[in-house]
mmCIF file of all heavy atoms in Angstrom:
data_model
loop_
_atom_site.group_PDB
_atom_site.id
_atom_site.type_symbol
_atom_site.label_atom_id
_atom_site.label_comp_id
_atom_site.label_asym_id
_atom_site.label_seq_id
_atom_site.Cartn_x
_atom_site.Cartn_y
_atom_site.Cartn_z
ATOM 1 N N LEU A 355 83.304 119.343 37.248
ATOM 2 C CA LEU A 355 83.724 118.216 36.498
ATOM 3 C C LEU A 355 82.828 117.932 35.255
ATOM 4 O O LEU A 355 83.257 117.444 34.256
ATOM 5 C CB LEU A 355 83.823 116.965 37.360
ATOM 6 C CG LEU A 355 84.963 116.883 38.313
ATOM 7 C CD1 LEU A 355 84.788 115.820 39.363
ATOM 8 C CD2 LEU A 355 86.275 116.576 37.495
ATOM 9 N N HIS A 388 90.678 120.720 35.139
ATOM 10 C CA HIS A 388 91.549 120.072 36.153
ATOM 11 C C HIS A 388 92.741 119.487 35.500
ATOM 12 O O HIS A 388 92.651 118.664 34.549
ATOM 13 C CB HIS A 388 90.737 118.976 36.828
ATOM 14 C CG HIS A 388 89.449 119.427 37.506
ATOM 15 N ND1 HIS A 388 88.271 119.688 36.802
ATOM 16 C CD2 HIS A 388 89.131 119.709 38.807
ATOM 17 C CE1 HIS A 388 87.390 120.097 37.585
ATOM 18 N NE2 HIS A 388 87.817 120.115 38.781
ATOM 19 N N VAL A 389 93.896 119.835 36.014
ATOM 20 C CA VAL A 389 95.141 119.202 35.596
ATOM 21 C C VAL A 389 95.482 118.027 36.510
ATOM 22 O O VAL A 389 95.740 118.191 37.711
ATOM 23 C CB VAL A 389 96.312 120.201 35.617
ATOM 24 C CG1 VAL A 389 97.658 119.498 35.327
ATOM 25 C CG2 VAL A 389 96.078 121.334 34.647
ATOM 26 N N LEU A 390 95.344 116.776 35.935
ATOM 27 C CA LEU A 390 95.491 115.580 36.752
ATOM 28 C C LEU A 390 96.894 114.977 36.550
ATOM 29 O O LEU A 390 97.183 114.523 35.396
ATOM 30 C CB LEU A 390 94.414 114.527 36.393
ATOM 31 C CG LEU A 390 94.551 113.161 37.015
ATOM 32 C CD1 LEU A 390 94.509 113.225 38.527
ATOM 33 C CD2 LEU A 390 93.450 112.219 36.474
ATOM 34 N N LEU A 391 97.744 115.061 37.505
ATOM 35 C CA LEU A 391 99.078 114.561 37.420
ATOM 36 C C LEU A 391 99.110 113.104 37.902
ATOM 37 O O LEU A 391 98.647 112.803 39.010
ATOM 38 C CB LEU A 391 100.070 115.353 38.269
ATOM 39 C CG LEU A 391 100.105 116.903 37.976
ATOM 40 C CD1 LEU A 391 101.173 117.566 38.859
ATOM 41 C CD2 LEU A 391 100.429 117.168 36.474
ATOM 42 N N TRP A 395 104.739 112.174 39.723
ATOM 43 C CA TRP A 395 105.177 113.423 40.375
ATOM 44 C C TRP A 395 106.101 113.126 41.547
ATOM 45 O O TRP A 395 106.912 114.023 42.016
ATOM 46 C CB TRP A 395 104.052 114.283 40.834
ATOM 47 C CG TRP A 395 103.074 113.663 41.743
ATOM 48 C CD1 TRP A 395 101.968 112.958 41.409
ATOM 49 C CD2 TRP A 395 103.132 113.654 43.175
ATOM 50 N NE1 TRP A 395 101.283 112.459 42.513
ATOM 51 C CE2 TRP A 395 101.989 112.884 43.635
ATOM 52 C CE3 TRP A 395 103.981 114.139 44.134
ATOM 53 C CZ2 TRP A 395 101.703 112.661 45.014
ATOM 54 C CZ3 TRP A 395 103.710 113.933 45.481
ATOM 55 C CH2 TRP A 395 102.573 113.267 45.880
ATOM 56 N N GLN A 396 106.159 111.887 42.050
ATOM 57 C CA GLN A 396 107.006 111.517 43.178
ATOM 58 C C GLN A 396 108.295 110.842 42.635
ATOM 59 O O GLN A 396 108.327 110.250 41.514
ATOM 60 C CB GLN A 396 106.313 110.480 44.057
ATOM 61 C CG GLN A 396 104.896 110.901 44.494
ATOM 62 C CD GLN A 396 104.125 109.748 45.057
ATOM 63 O OE1 GLN A 396 104.138 109.449 46.238
ATOM 64 N NE2 GLN A 396 103.459 109.019 44.166
ATOM 65 N N PHE A 402 105.257 110.626 48.594
ATOM 66 C CA PHE A 402 104.305 111.734 48.955
ATOM 67 C C PHE A 402 105.049 113.037 49.062
ATOM 68 O O PHE A 402 104.659 113.893 49.811
ATOM 69 C CB PHE A 402 103.550 111.415 50.228
ATOM 70 C CG PHE A 402 102.716 110.170 50.162
ATOM 71 C CD1 PHE A 402 103.060 109.040 50.903
ATOM 72 C CD2 PHE A 402 101.641 110.069 49.337
ATOM 73 C CE1 PHE A 402 102.294 107.872 50.843
ATOM 74 C CE2 PHE A 402 100.843 108.921 49.238
ATOM 75 C CZ PHE A 402 101.214 107.847 49.957
ATOM 76 N N VAL A 403 106.096 113.213 48.295
ATOM 77 C CA VAL A 403 106.793 114.486 48.139
ATOM 78 C C VAL A 403 107.128 114.615 46.655
ATOM 79 O O VAL A 403 107.318 113.628 45.939
ATOM 80 C CB VAL A 403 108.104 114.591 48.975
ATOM 81 C CG1 VAL A 403 107.729 114.566 50.478
ATOM 82 C CG2 VAL A 403 109.041 113.445 48.625
ATOM 83 N N ILE A 426 94.737 121.924 40.290
ATOM 84 C CA ILE A 426 95.726 120.908 40.367
ATOM 85 C C ILE A 426 95.292 119.680 41.179
ATOM 86 O O ILE A 426 94.744 119.816 42.283
ATOM 87 C CB ILE A 426 97.075 121.443 41.002
ATOM 88 C CG1 ILE A 426 97.619 122.502 40.097
ATOM 89 C CG2 ILE A 426 98.013 120.305 41.276
ATOM 90 C CD1 ILE A 426 98.151 121.928 38.776
ATOM 91 N N VAL A 427 95.388 118.548 40.534
ATOM 92 C CA VAL A 427 94.939 117.224 41.167
ATOM 93 C C VAL A 427 96.161 116.316 41.147
ATOM 94 O O VAL A 427 96.732 115.993 40.070
ATOM 95 C CB VAL A 427 93.741 116.646 40.472
ATOM 96 C CG1 VAL A 427 93.323 115.362 41.213
ATOM 97 C CG2 VAL A 427 92.598 117.598 40.323
ATOM 98 N N PHE A 428 96.492 115.696 42.297
ATOM 99 C CA PHE A 428 97.595 114.756 42.387
ATOM 100 C C PHE A 428 96.997 113.329 42.488
ATOM 101 O O PHE A 428 96.123 113.125 43.343
ATOM 102 C CB PHE A 428 98.486 115.026 43.589
ATOM 103 C CG PHE A 428 99.524 116.137 43.338
ATOM 104 C CD1 PHE A 428 99.484 116.975 42.285
ATOM 105 C CD2 PHE A 428 100.537 116.350 44.303
ATOM 106 C CE1 PHE A 428 100.416 117.939 42.079
ATOM 107 C CE2 PHE A 428 101.460 117.320 44.117
ATOM 108 C CZ PHE A 428 101.418 118.147 43.015
ATOM 109 N N SER A 429 97.557 112.416 41.747
ATOM 110 C CA SER A 429 97.190 110.979 42.002
ATOM 111 C C SER A 429 98.066 110.429 43.106
ATOM 112 O O SER A 429 99.289 110.649 43.179
ATOM 113 C CB SER A 429 97.474 110.197 40.706
ATOM 114 O OG SER A 429 96.646 110.592 39.653
ATOM 115 N N ILE A 430 97.388 109.718 43.974
ATOM 116 C CA ILE A 430 98.046 109.061 45.075
ATOM 117 C C ILE A 430 97.635 107.548 45.126
ATOM 118 O O ILE A 430 96.601 107.247 44.631
ATOM 119 C CB ILE A 430 97.778 109.739 46.456
ATOM 120 C CG1 ILE A 430 96.310 109.664 46.775
ATOM 121 C CG2 ILE A 430 98.348 111.129 46.491
ATOM 122 C CD1 ILE A 430 95.985 110.136 48.144
ATOM 123 N N GLN A 431 98.524 106.785 45.654
ATOM 124 C CA GLN A 431 98.290 105.327 45.807
ATOM 125 C C GLN A 431 98.511 104.867 47.233
ATOM 126 O O GLN A 431 99.251 105.483 47.978
ATOM 127 C CB GLN A 431 99.250 104.584 44.824
ATOM 128 C CG GLN A 431 99.170 104.975 43.392
ATOM 129 C CD GLN A 431 100.276 104.386 42.608
ATOM 130 O OE1 GLN A 431 101.317 103.978 43.108
ATOM 131 N NE2 GLN A 431 100.082 104.256 41.308
ATOM 132 N N LEU A 486 99.239 109.024 56.917
ATOM 133 C CA LEU A 486 98.999 109.424 55.500
ATOM 134 C C LEU A 486 98.369 110.839 55.471
ATOM 135 O O LEU A 486 98.799 111.612 54.555
ATOM 136 C CB LEU A 486 98.032 108.436 54.899
ATOM 137 C CG LEU A 486 97.653 108.668 53.434
ATOM 138 C CD1 LEU A 486 98.860 108.720 52.547
ATOM 139 C CD2 LEU A 486 96.611 107.649 52.962
ATOM 140 N N GLN A 487 97.482 111.139 56.377
ATOM 141 C CA GLN A 487 96.870 112.482 56.368
ATOM 142 C C GLN A 487 97.893 113.557 56.537
ATOM 143 O O GLN A 487 97.830 114.603 55.891
ATOM 144 C CB GLN A 487 95.833 112.481 57.475
ATOM 145 C CG GLN A 487 95.061 113.822 57.504
ATOM 146 C CD GLN A 487 93.982 113.784 58.592
ATOM 147 O OE1 GLN A 487 93.807 112.795 59.282
ATOM 148 N NE2 GLN A 487 93.320 114.936 58.764
ATOM 149 N N ALA A 488 98.843 113.273 57.380
ATOM 150 C CA ALA A 488 99.871 114.326 57.613
ATOM 151 C C ALA A 488 100.716 114.546 56.329
ATOM 152 O O ALA A 488 101.091 115.696 56.033
ATOM 153 C CB ALA A 488 100.826 113.845 58.750
ATOM 154 N N LYS A 489 101.042 113.514 55.620
ATOM 155 C CA LYS A 489 101.801 113.592 54.360
ATOM 156 C C LYS A 489 101.004 114.456 53.276
ATOM 157 O O LYS A 489 101.583 115.297 52.667
ATOM 158 C CB LYS A 489 102.052 112.239 53.775
ATOM 159 C CG LYS A 489 102.846 111.317 54.691
ATOM 160 C CD LYS A 489 104.330 111.722 54.799
ATOM 161 C CE LYS A 489 105.124 110.681 55.581
ATOM 162 N NZ LYS A 489 106.563 111.067 55.732
ATOM 163 N N LEU A 490 99.697 114.180 53.178
ATOM 164 C CA LEU A 490 98.923 114.819 52.212
ATOM 165 C C LEU A 490 98.607 116.224 52.547
ATOM 166 O O LEU A 490 98.600 117.122 51.697
ATOM 167 C CB LEU A 490 97.641 114.056 51.972
ATOM 168 C CG LEU A 490 97.737 112.601 51.489
ATOM 169 C CD1 LEU A 490 96.398 111.934 51.263
ATOM 170 C CD2 LEU A 490 98.565 112.522 50.242
ATOM 171 N N GLU A 491 98.363 116.556 53.825
ATOM 172 C CA GLU A 491 98.132 117.887 54.233
ATOM 173 C C GLU A 491 99.398 118.776 53.981
ATOM 174 O O GLU A 491 99.300 119.956 53.637
ATOM 175 C CB GLU A 491 97.758 117.980 55.688
ATOM 176 C CG GLU A 491 96.358 117.502 55.884
ATOM 177 C CD GLU A 491 95.971 117.457 57.361
ATOM 178 O OE1 GLU A 491 96.820 117.595 58.244
ATOM 179 O OE2 GLU A 491 94.739 117.269 57.693
ATOM 180 N N SER A 492 100.572 118.196 54.126
ATOM 181 C CA SER A 492 101.808 118.911 53.855
ATOM 182 C C SER A 492 101.903 119.310 52.491
ATOM 183 O O SER A 492 102.323 120.386 52.095
ATOM 184 C CB SER A 492 102.979 118.044 54.245
ATOM 185 O OG SER A 492 104.249 118.659 53.923
ATOM 186 N N LEU A 493 101.479 118.409 51.508
ATOM 187 C CA LEU A 493 101.413 118.729 50.078
ATOM 188 C C LEU A 493 100.459 119.881 49.793
ATOM 189 O O LEU A 493 100.780 120.800 48.985
ATOM 190 C CB LEU A 493 101.006 117.472 49.260
ATOM 191 C CG LEU A 493 102.071 116.392 49.078
ATOM 192 C CD1 LEU A 493 101.464 115.166 48.449
ATOM 193 C CD2 LEU A 493 103.152 116.920 48.190
ATOM 194 N N ILE A 494 99.307 119.758 50.382
ATOM 195 C CA ILE A 494 98.235 120.830 50.209
ATOM 196 C C ILE A 494 98.817 122.191 50.648
ATOM 197 O O ILE A 494 98.679 123.226 49.990
ATOM 198 C CB ILE A 494 96.952 120.463 50.963
ATOM 199 C CG1 ILE A 494 96.357 119.226 50.354
ATOM 200 C CG2 ILE A 494 96.023 121.629 50.906
ATOM 201 C CD1 ILE A 494 95.160 118.712 51.091
ATOM 202 N N MET A 495 99.415 122.228 51.809
ATOM 203 C CA MET A 495 99.928 123.482 52.383
ATOM 204 C C MET A 495 101.072 124.012 51.524
ATOM 205 O O MET A 495 101.134 125.211 51.255
ATOM 206 C CB MET A 495 100.440 123.267 53.817
ATOM 207 C CG MET A 495 99.284 122.929 54.777
ATOM 208 S SD MET A 495 98.155 124.330 54.992
ATOM 209 C CE MET A 495 99.244 125.530 55.725
ATOM 210 N N TYR A 497 102.067 123.182 48.228
ATOM 211 C CA TYR A 497 101.881 123.377 46.802
ATOM 212 C C TYR A 497 100.448 123.814 46.382
ATOM 213 O O TYR A 497 100.142 123.962 45.213
ATOM 214 C CB TYR A 497 102.242 122.036 46.037
ATOM 215 C CG TYR A 497 103.644 121.641 46.223
ATOM 216 C CD1 TYR A 497 103.952 120.630 47.077
ATOM 217 C CD2 TYR A 497 104.689 122.270 45.582
ATOM 218 C CE1 TYR A 497 105.240 120.230 47.275
ATOM 219 C CE2 TYR A 497 105.987 121.871 45.743
ATOM 220 C CZ TYR A 497 106.309 120.836 46.545
ATOM 221 O OH TYR A 497 107.619 120.440 46.771
ATOM 222 N N HIS A 498 99.626 123.982 47.426
ATOM 223 C CA HIS A 498 98.263 124.410 47.163
ATOM 224 C C HIS A 498 97.503 123.421 46.194
ATOM 225 O O HIS A 498 96.835 123.870 45.248
ATOM 226 C CB HIS A 498 98.219 125.877 46.613
ATOM 227 C CG HIS A 498 98.955 126.814 47.487
ATOM 228 N ND1 HIS A 498 98.437 127.289 48.708
ATOM 229 C CD2 HIS A 498 100.188 127.430 47.270
ATOM 230 C CE1 HIS A 498 99.300 128.120 49.190
ATOM 231 N NE2 HIS A 498 100.365 128.242 48.394
ATOM 232 N N VAL A 499 97.625 122.195 46.469
ATOM 233 C CA VAL A 499 96.966 121.159 45.702
ATOM 234 C C VAL A 499 95.493 121.273 45.996
ATOM 235 O O VAL A 499 95.033 121.396 47.104
ATOM 236 C CB VAL A 499 97.489 119.764 46.107
ATOM 237 C CG1 VAL A 499 96.658 118.666 45.379
ATOM 238 C CG2 VAL A 499 98.970 119.645 45.841
ATOM 239 N N ASP A 500 94.685 121.268 44.890
ATOM 240 C CA ASP A 500 93.222 121.420 45.027
ATOM 241 C C ASP A 500 92.562 120.164 45.494
ATOM 242 O O ASP A 500 91.596 120.200 46.315
ATOM 243 C CB ASP A 500 92.597 121.854 43.688
ATOM 244 C CG ASP A 500 93.072 123.279 43.306
ATOM 245 O OD1 ASP A 500 92.617 124.237 43.930
ATOM 246 O OD2 ASP A 500 94.004 123.419 42.460
ATOM 247 N N SER A 501 92.927 119.029 45.005
ATOM 248 C CA SER A 501 92.313 117.747 45.373
ATOM 249 C C SER A 501 93.163 116.566 44.905
ATOM 250 O O SER A 501 94.257 116.768 44.283
ATOM 251 C CB SER A 501 90.919 117.659 44.761
ATOM 252 O OG SER A 501 90.978 117.730 43.353
ATOM 253 N N PHE A 502 92.733 115.389 45.278
ATOM 254 C CA PHE A 502 93.488 114.140 44.999
ATOM 255 C C PHE A 502 92.646 113.189 44.195
ATOM 256 O O PHE A 502 91.400 113.143 44.327
ATOM 257 C CB PHE A 502 93.988 113.532 46.265
ATOM 258 C CG PHE A 502 95.064 114.333 46.998
ATOM 259 C CD1 PHE A 502 94.685 115.183 47.994
ATOM 260 C CD2 PHE A 502 96.418 114.238 46.693
ATOM 261 C CE1 PHE A 502 95.621 115.996 48.634
ATOM 262 C CE2 PHE A 502 97.336 114.975 47.301
ATOM 263 C CZ PHE A 502 96.954 115.869 48.338
ATOM 264 N N TYR A 503 93.329 112.341 43.465
ATOM 265 C CA TYR A 503 92.688 111.216 42.746
ATOM 266 C C TYR A 503 93.255 109.888 43.310
ATOM 267 O O TYR A 503 94.502 109.807 43.385
ATOM 268 C CB TYR A 503 93.028 111.298 41.272
ATOM 269 C CG TYR A 503 92.552 110.148 40.457
ATOM 270 C CD1 TYR A 503 91.228 110.115 39.999
ATOM 271 C CD2 TYR A 503 93.387 109.080 40.160
ATOM 272 C CE1 TYR A 503 90.701 109.019 39.225
ATOM 273 C CE2 TYR A 503 92.940 107.983 39.407
ATOM 274 C CZ TYR A 503 91.626 107.960 38.946
ATOM 275 O OH TYR A 503 91.193 106.921 38.236
ATOM 276 N N LEU A 504 92.389 109.014 43.797
ATOM 277 C CA LEU A 504 92.859 107.816 44.458
ATOM 278 C C LEU A 504 93.032 106.646 43.446
ATOM 279 O O LEU A 504 92.020 106.178 42.946
ATOM 280 C CB LEU A 504 91.879 107.392 45.548
ATOM 281 C CG LEU A 504 91.517 108.442 46.612
ATOM 282 C CD1 LEU A 504 90.506 107.862 47.675
ATOM 283 C CD2 LEU A 504 92.765 109.020 47.250
ATOM 284 N N ASP A 505 94.265 106.325 43.240
ATOM 285 C CA ASP A 505 94.601 105.204 42.361
ATOM 286 C C ASP A 505 94.747 103.932 43.213
ATOM 287 O O ASP A 505 95.815 103.707 43.738
ATOM 288 C CB ASP A 505 95.843 105.494 41.589
ATOM 289 C CG ASP A 505 96.177 104.415 40.558
ATOM 290 O OD1 ASP A 505 95.370 103.456 40.434
ATOM 291 O OD2 ASP A 505 97.259 104.445 39.896
ATOM 292 N N PHE A 532 89.338 102.382 52.587
ATOM 293 C CA PHE A 532 90.327 103.436 52.268
ATOM 294 C C PHE A 532 89.644 104.705 51.780
ATOM 295 O O PHE A 532 89.923 105.802 52.240
ATOM 296 C CB PHE A 532 91.299 102.923 51.184
ATOM 297 C CG PHE A 532 92.537 103.809 51.010
ATOM 298 C CD1 PHE A 532 93.729 103.493 51.669
ATOM 299 C CD2 PHE A 532 92.500 104.910 50.238
ATOM 300 C CE1 PHE A 532 94.844 104.284 51.480
ATOM 301 C CE2 PHE A 532 93.592 105.722 50.064
ATOM 302 C CZ PHE A 532 94.736 105.387 50.685
ATOM 303 N N ILE A 536 89.623 108.316 53.779
ATOM 304 C CA ILE A 536 90.228 109.533 53.176
ATOM 305 C C ILE A 536 89.248 110.680 52.926
ATOM 306 O O ILE A 536 89.598 111.833 53.131
ATOM 307 C CB ILE A 536 90.902 109.160 51.878
ATOM 308 C CG1 ILE A 536 92.162 108.308 52.105
ATOM 309 C CG2 ILE A 536 91.259 110.327 51.006
ATOM 310 C CD1 ILE A 536 93.251 108.991 52.821
ATOM 311 N N LEU A 537 88.043 110.280 52.561
ATOM 312 C CA LEU A 537 87.068 111.372 52.185
ATOM 313 C C LEU A 537 86.818 112.321 53.292
ATOM 314 O O LEU A 537 86.454 113.510 53.134
ATOM 315 C CB LEU A 537 85.736 110.736 51.717
ATOM 316 C CG LEU A 537 85.778 110.185 50.298
ATOM 317 C CD1 LEU A 537 84.428 109.595 49.929
ATOM 318 C CD2 LEU A 537 86.177 111.205 49.301
ATOM 319 N N THR A 539 88.909 113.543 55.324
ATOM 320 C CA THR A 539 90.097 114.333 55.729
ATOM 321 C C THR A 539 90.663 115.244 54.622
ATOM 322 O O THR A 539 91.181 116.310 54.922
ATOM 323 C CB THR A 539 91.200 113.365 56.179
ATOM 324 O OG1 THR A 539 91.548 112.501 55.078
ATOM 325 C CG2 THR A 539 90.746 112.540 57.388
ATOM 326 N N ILE A 540 90.621 114.779 53.356
ATOM 327 C CA ILE A 540 91.199 115.523 52.263
ATOM 328 C C ILE A 540 90.221 115.556 51.086
ATOM 329 O O ILE A 540 89.395 114.644 50.974
ATOM 330 C CB ILE A 540 92.585 115.001 51.793
ATOM 331 C CG1 ILE A 540 92.343 113.559 51.271
ATOM 332 C CG2 ILE A 540 93.555 115.004 52.872
ATOM 333 C CD1 ILE A 540 93.575 112.974 50.608
ATOM 334 N N PRO A 541 90.274 116.575 50.224
ATOM 335 C CA PRO A 541 89.415 116.599 49.005
ATOM 336 C C PRO A 541 89.781 115.538 47.964
ATOM 337 O O PRO A 541 90.938 115.414 47.664
ATOM 338 C CB PRO A 541 89.560 117.999 48.484
ATOM 339 C CG PRO A 541 90.917 118.448 48.959
ATOM 340 C CD PRO A 541 91.118 117.789 50.275
ATOM 341 N N VAL A 542 88.780 114.879 47.438
ATOM 342 C CA VAL A 542 89.013 113.810 46.464
ATOM 343 C C VAL A 542 87.972 114.038 45.311
ATOM 344 O O VAL A 542 86.784 114.305 45.576
ATOM 345 C CB VAL A 542 88.808 112.429 47.104
ATOM 346 C CG1 VAL A 542 88.983 111.361 45.974
ATOM 347 C CG2 VAL A 542 89.856 112.179 48.212
ATOM 348 N N ILE A 543 88.489 113.919 44.090
ATOM 349 C CA ILE A 543 87.579 114.038 42.964
ATOM 350 C C ILE A 543 87.301 112.751 42.184
ATOM 351 O O ILE A 543 86.296 112.634 41.468
ATOM 352 C CB ILE A 543 88.016 115.071 41.951
ATOM 353 C CG1 ILE A 543 89.348 114.617 41.224
ATOM 354 C CG2 ILE A 543 88.229 116.424 42.546
ATOM 355 C CD1 ILE A 543 89.617 115.361 39.974
ATOM 356 N N GLY A 544 88.154 111.735 42.463
ATOM 357 C CA GLY A 544 87.950 110.448 41.689
ATOM 358 C C GLY A 544 88.603 109.322 42.329
ATOM 359 O O GLY A 544 89.612 109.485 43.104
ATOM 360 N N VAL A 545 88.164 108.168 41.956
ATOM 361 C CA VAL A 545 88.794 106.908 42.410
ATOM 362 C C VAL A 545 88.900 105.957 41.163
ATOM 363 O O VAL A 545 88.080 106.069 40.301
ATOM 364 C CB VAL A 545 88.016 106.155 43.577
ATOM 365 C CG1 VAL A 545 87.985 106.979 44.809
ATOM 366 C CG2 VAL A 545 86.569 105.848 43.106
ATOM 367 N N SER A 546 89.892 105.084 41.241
ATOM 368 C CA SER A 546 90.113 104.196 40.017
ATOM 369 C C SER A 546 89.328 102.913 40.132
ATOM 370 O O SER A 546 89.197 102.224 39.109
ATOM 371 C CB SER A 546 91.598 103.871 39.962
ATOM 372 O OG SER A 546 91.974 103.144 41.099
ATOM 373 N N PRO A 555 81.488 114.484 45.995
ATOM 374 C CA PRO A 555 81.647 114.649 44.547
ATOM 375 C C PRO A 555 82.619 113.685 43.811
ATOM 376 O O PRO A 555 83.145 114.046 42.854
ATOM 377 C CB PRO A 555 82.249 116.074 44.477
ATOM 378 C CG PRO A 555 83.110 116.139 45.668
ATOM 379 C CD PRO A 555 82.466 115.345 46.747
ATOM 380 N N VAL A 556 82.806 112.561 44.445
ATOM 381 C CA VAL A 556 83.852 111.623 43.918
ATOM 382 C C VAL A 556 83.247 110.924 42.631
ATOM 383 O O VAL A 556 82.186 110.325 42.699
ATOM 384 C CB VAL A 556 84.235 110.567 44.993
ATOM 385 C CG1 VAL A 556 85.250 109.598 44.347
ATOM 386 C CG2 VAL A 556 84.773 111.235 46.214
ATOM 387 N N PHE A 557 83.986 110.949 41.570
ATOM 388 C CA PHE A 557 83.633 110.287 40.350
ATOM 389 C C PHE A 557 84.495 108.972 40.233
ATOM 390 O O PHE A 557 85.613 108.912 40.696
ATOM 391 C CB PHE A 557 83.944 111.132 39.149
ATOM 392 C CG PHE A 557 82.966 112.232 38.848
ATOM 393 C CD1 PHE A 557 82.686 113.218 39.764
ATOM 394 C CD2 PHE A 557 82.312 112.246 37.623
ATOM 395 C CE1 PHE A 557 81.759 114.186 39.492
ATOM 396 C CE2 PHE A 557 81.292 113.207 37.330
ATOM 397 C CZ PHE A 557 81.043 114.201 38.296
ATOM 398 N N MET A 589 83.948 108.796 35.277
ATOM 399 C CA MET A 589 84.942 109.580 34.582
ATOM 400 C C MET A 589 85.600 108.667 33.564
ATOM 401 O O MET A 589 86.391 107.788 33.869
ATOM 402 C CB MET A 589 86.043 110.035 35.658
ATOM 403 C CG MET A 589 87.104 110.900 35.041
ATOM 404 S SD MET A 589 88.384 111.385 36.218
ATOM 405 C CE MET A 589 87.457 112.249 37.467
#
Side-chain angles (χ1 to χ4, degrees):
L355 281 166
H388 304 76
V389 174
L390 173 60
L391 303 182
W395 56 270
Q396 309 165 93
F402 300 112
V403 293
I426 293 295
V427 182
F428 279 10
S429 293
I430 60 171
Q431 302 169 340
L486 178 61
Q487 184 177 355
K489 301 285 185 184
L490 300 180
E491 287 178 348
S492 176
L493 283 171
I494 294 173
M495 292 295 295
Y497 298 104
H498 306 288
V499 177
D500 294 284
S501 58
F502 293 92
Y503 174 85
L504 306 183
D505 183 6
F532 192 97
I536 289 293
L537 283 182
T539 59
I540 61 172
V542 176
I543 67 163
V545 295
S546 66
V556 179
F557 281 60
M589 185 183 297

